[in-house]
Amino acid sequence: MKKKVISVLLCAAMVASMAIGCSKSDSGSSDDKKDSGDKKDSYKVAYIARAQSDSFAAWLANELKAEFENYDDMTLEVFDGEANDEKENTMIENAISSGFDGIIIQANNGEAQLPYIQQVVDAGIPCITTNPRVECEGTGSIDADPYEQAKVNCELAIDQIPENAKVVVLLGPAGNFHSTERRNAWEKEFFEKRPDVEILAEDIANWNKDEAMSLMEDWVQAYGDIDAVVSMNDNMAAGAIEVVKDNDKFKDMLAYGVDGTAEACLLIKEGKMTSTGLQSAIDLAKMNAEAIHSVLTGEKKITDINDNVPAPLITSDNVDEYIQMYKDNGQIKE
């Protein structure tokens, strides 16, 4: 009789043990973890930045650092991918193994980072992709609409760029969602509507000012006359402008960018740059911080995070208000 009782108890214990094991296995997703009600006193978040040599990426990283200081229960550690896919992918893997509670990723190349973003999801860590958005099931995203950012420039350029103009085009990294979509906007919203405009040259400068300068130097030598620079970001546009800034032959050259950086605003004020579509790192940082905090504390699911910042056009007509914004946050010194 005693043996039968012991046998029954052992069987019951084994069943209970198996049930507990299944429960743990089934709770692997980040949504389930955050819905369980287990809250921590402090959360560690990793931000994998594309490249601090890129003026916009550096601005976003700095704004994120400042924004996270507003939280008592959340800290941020920033990692610089240096515009290198292999390095960025290694940093993502390291962030997973280092026990971060959340990871925000600014991809250098969405396709290259996608398998590693999937690793974050598989590890059950809340992940937000930002600037650019990378489509991966189980993640959230905070971004801007790159098509709209370029389109606002196109709507201005359609009447500004002279008839039969000769232009050059500066592109971001190959495979980058923002560069591709901005170029698509220029094609559909400008070049298809202005078949008289000739593209003299088009090349990748990887968001980099120095690379853009090198290309522009070659183009000036090769073509002489350039009526406009169409750039997928401000940093590259600024590089092109730097090459011809003291050459009276180019004093009427038009230049279009995206990001609305402090440098671009000053160039617009000086009459050297024509316009830019704002991509506010201030807004992106605030929205990213709020989003990851709401997921870590269980207020939202990661899959509920999907937002864009607006893309207002900055020209000589309104540039003063943006210059004041940069003065207020210390990016432009009085």
Side-chain angles (χ1 to χ4, degrees), residues 107-119:
N108 182 59
N109 179 335
E111 288 187 14
Q113 271 76 71
L114 181 57
Y116 297 85
I117 293 168
Q118 184 63 56
Q119 287 185 34

PDB file of all heavy atoms in Angstrom, residues 107-119:
ATOM      1  N   ALA A 107      19.780  50.529 -38.468  1.00  0.00           N
ATOM      2  CA  ALA A 107      20.488  49.675 -39.426  1.00  0.00           C
ATOM      3  C   ALA A 107      21.323  50.482 -40.410  1.00  0.00           C
ATOM      4  O   ALA A 107      20.906  51.551 -40.861  1.00  0.00           O
ATOM      5  CB  ALA A 107      19.494  48.805 -40.183  1.00  0.00           C
ATOM      6  N   ASN A 108      22.473  49.956 -40.742  1.00  0.00           N
ATOM      7  CA  ASN A 108      23.284  50.510 -41.822  1.00  0.00           C
ATOM      8  C   ASN A 108      22.760  49.994 -43.158  1.00  0.00           C
ATOM      9  O   ASN A 108      22.634  50.739 -44.117  1.00  0.00           O
ATOM     10  CB  ASN A 108      24.746  50.105 -41.638  1.00  0.00           C
ATOM     11  CG  ASN A 108      25.651  50.694 -42.699  1.00  0.00           C
ATOM     12  OD1 ASN A 108      25.728  51.913 -42.846  1.00  0.00           O
ATOM     13  ND2 ASN A 108      26.337  49.848 -43.448  1.00  0.00           N
ATOM     14  N   ASN A 109      22.414  48.729 -43.185  1.00  0.00           N
ATOM     15  CA  ASN A 109      21.855  48.070 -44.360  1.00  0.00           C
ATOM     16  C   ASN A 109      20.792  47.095 -43.856  1.00  0.00           C
ATOM     17  O   ASN A 109      21.119  46.092 -43.223  1.00  0.00           O
ATOM     18  CB  ASN A 109      22.968  47.330 -45.118  1.00  0.00           C
ATOM     19  CG  ASN A 109      22.466  46.587 -46.336  1.00  0.00           C
ATOM     20  OD1 ASN A 109      21.301  46.198 -46.428  1.00  0.00           O
ATOM     21  ND2 ASN A 109      23.344  46.363 -47.293  1.00  0.00           N
ATOM     22  N   GLY A 110      19.552  47.422 -44.113  1.00  0.00           N
ATOM     23  CA  GLY A 110      18.451  46.640 -43.564  1.00  0.00           C
ATOM     24  C   GLY A 110      18.547  45.156 -43.857  1.00  0.00           C
ATOM     25  O   GLY A 110      18.298  44.319 -42.983  1.00  0.00           O
ATOM     26  N   GLU A 111      18.913  44.796 -45.082  1.00  0.00           N
ATOM     27  CA  GLU A 111      19.003  43.387 -45.447  1.00  0.00           C
ATOM     28  C   GLU A 111      20.115  42.684 -44.673  1.00  0.00           C
ATOM     29  O   GLU A 111      19.968  41.539 -44.254  1.00  0.00           O
ATOM     30  CB  GLU A 111      19.249  43.251 -46.957  1.00  0.00           C
ATOM     31  CG  GLU A 111      18.031  43.601 -47.801  1.00  0.00           C
ATOM     32  CD  GLU A 111      18.249  43.287 -49.269  1.00  0.00           C
ATOM     33  OE1 GLU A 111      19.223  42.566 -49.589  1.00  0.00           O
ATOM     34  OE2 GLU A 111      17.458  43.770 -50.091  1.00  0.00           O
ATOM     35  N   ALA A 112      21.235  43.384 -44.492  1.00  0.00           N
ATOM     36  CA  ALA A 112      22.369  42.788 -43.782  1.00  0.00           C
ATOM     37  C   ALA A 112      22.075  42.607 -42.303  1.00  0.00           C
ATOM     38  O   ALA A 112      22.510  41.630 -41.682  1.00  0.00           O
ATOM     39  CB  ALA A 112      23.620  43.646 -43.964  1.00  0.00           C
ATOM     40  N   GLN A 113      21.308  43.552 -41.722  1.00  0.00           N
ATOM     41  CA  GLN A 113      21.018  43.467 -40.295  1.00  0.00           C
ATOM     42  C   GLN A 113      19.809  42.586 -39.981  1.00  0.00           C
ATOM     43  O   GLN A 113      19.632  42.151 -38.834  1.00  0.00           O
ATOM     44  CB  GLN A 113      20.785  44.877 -39.712  1.00  0.00           C
ATOM     45  CG  GLN A 113      22.028  45.576 -39.224  1.00  0.00           C
ATOM     46  CD  GLN A 113      22.873  46.107 -40.375  1.00  0.00           C
ATOM     47  OE1 GLN A 113      22.488  47.059 -41.022  1.00  0.00           O
ATOM     48  NE2 GLN A 113      24.032  45.493 -40.614  1.00  0.00           N
ATOM     49  N   LEU A 114      18.974  42.316 -40.971  1.00  0.00           N
ATOM     50  CA  LEU A 114      17.722  41.595 -40.728  1.00  0.00           C
ATOM     51  C   LEU A 114      17.898  40.271 -39.982  1.00  0.00           C
ATOM     52  O   LEU A 114      17.182  40.014 -39.001  1.00  0.00           O
ATOM     53  CB  LEU A 114      16.972  41.376 -42.045  1.00  0.00           C
ATOM     54  CG  LEU A 114      15.625  40.653 -41.949  1.00  0.00           C
ATOM     55  CD1 LEU A 114      14.672  41.383 -41.012  1.00  0.00           C
ATOM     56  CD2 LEU A 114      14.991  40.519 -43.337  1.00  0.00           C
ATOM     57  N   PRO A 115      18.831  39.395 -40.373  1.00  0.00           N
ATOM     58  CA  PRO A 115      18.973  38.121 -39.637  1.00  0.00           C
ATOM     59  C   PRO A 115      19.363  38.333 -38.173  1.00  0.00           C
ATOM     60  O   PRO A 115      18.996  37.520 -37.311  1.00  0.00           O
ATOM     61  CB  PRO A 115      20.084  37.384 -40.398  1.00  0.00           C
ATOM     62  CG  PRO A 115      20.133  38.021 -41.743  1.00  0.00           C
ATOM     63  CD  PRO A 115      19.764  39.457 -41.520  1.00  0.00           C
ATOM     64  N   TYR A 116      20.076  39.395 -37.893  1.00  0.00           N
ATOM     65  CA  TYR A 116      20.521  39.661 -36.523  1.00  0.00           C
ATOM     66  C   TYR A 116      19.401  40.314 -35.708  1.00  0.00           C
ATOM     67  O   TYR A 116      19.280  40.076 -34.502  1.00  0.00           O
ATOM     68  CB  TYR A 116      21.789  40.523 -36.551  1.00  0.00           C
ATOM     69  CG  TYR A 116      22.923  39.787 -37.223  1.00  0.00           C
ATOM     70  CD1 TYR A 116      23.062  39.815 -38.614  1.00  0.00           C
ATOM     71  CD2 TYR A 116      23.804  39.016 -36.477  1.00  0.00           C
ATOM     72  CE1 TYR A 116      24.072  39.101 -39.247  1.00  0.00           C
ATOM     73  CE2 TYR A 116      24.817  38.297 -37.100  1.00  0.00           C
ATOM     74  CZ  TYR A 116      24.945  38.336 -38.480  1.00  0.00           C
ATOM     75  OH  TYR A 116      25.936  37.614 -39.091  1.00  0.00           O
ATOM     76  N   ILE A 117      18.575  41.099 -36.382  1.00  0.00           N
ATOM     77  CA  ILE A 117      17.370  41.617 -35.725  1.00  0.00           C
ATOM     78  C   ILE A 117      16.462  40.452 -35.360  1.00  0.00           C
ATOM     79  O   ILE A 117      15.857  40.424 -34.284  1.00  0.00           O
ATOM     80  CB  ILE A 117      16.652  42.626 -36.648  1.00  0.00           C
ATOM     81  CG1 ILE A 117      17.521  43.885 -36.830  1.00  0.00           C
ATOM     82  CG2 ILE A 117      15.279  43.004 -36.078  1.00  0.00           C
ATOM     83  CD1 ILE A 117      17.041  44.807 -37.926  1.00  0.00           C
ATOM     84  N   GLN A 118      16.392  39.461 -36.252  1.00  0.00           N
ATOM     85  CA  GLN A 118      15.595  38.261 -35.970  1.00  0.00           C
ATOM     86  C   GLN A 118      16.139  37.531 -34.748  1.00  0.00           C
ATOM     87  O   GLN A 118      15.366  36.978 -33.953  1.00  0.00           O
ATOM     88  CB  GLN A 118      15.603  37.332 -37.183  1.00  0.00           C
ATOM     89  CG  GLN A 118      14.719  36.102 -37.035  1.00  0.00           C
ATOM     90  CD  GLN A 118      13.253  36.463 -36.893  1.00  0.00           C
ATOM     91  OE1 GLN A 118      12.700  37.153 -37.741  1.00  0.00           O
ATOM     92  NE2 GLN A 118      12.614  36.004 -35.813  1.00  0.00           N
ATOM     93  N   GLN A 119      17.452  37.545 -34.573  1.00  0.00           N
ATOM     94  CA  GLN A 119      18.046  36.921 -33.386  1.00  0.00           C
ATOM     95  C   GLN A 119      17.571  37.607 -32.106  1.00  0.00           C
ATOM     96  O   GLN A 119      17.355  36.958 -31.085  1.00  0.00           O
ATOM     97  CB  GLN A 119      19.577  36.978 -33.459  1.00  0.00           C
ATOM     98  CG  GLN A 119      20.202  36.033 -34.458  1.00  0.00           C
ATOM     99  CD  GLN A 119      21.721  36.053 -34.409  1.00  0.00           C
ATOM    100  OE1 GLN A 119      22.307  36.225 -33.335  1.00  0.00           O
ATOM    101  NE2 GLN A 119      22.354  35.904 -35.563  1.00  0.00           N
TER     102      GLN A 119
END
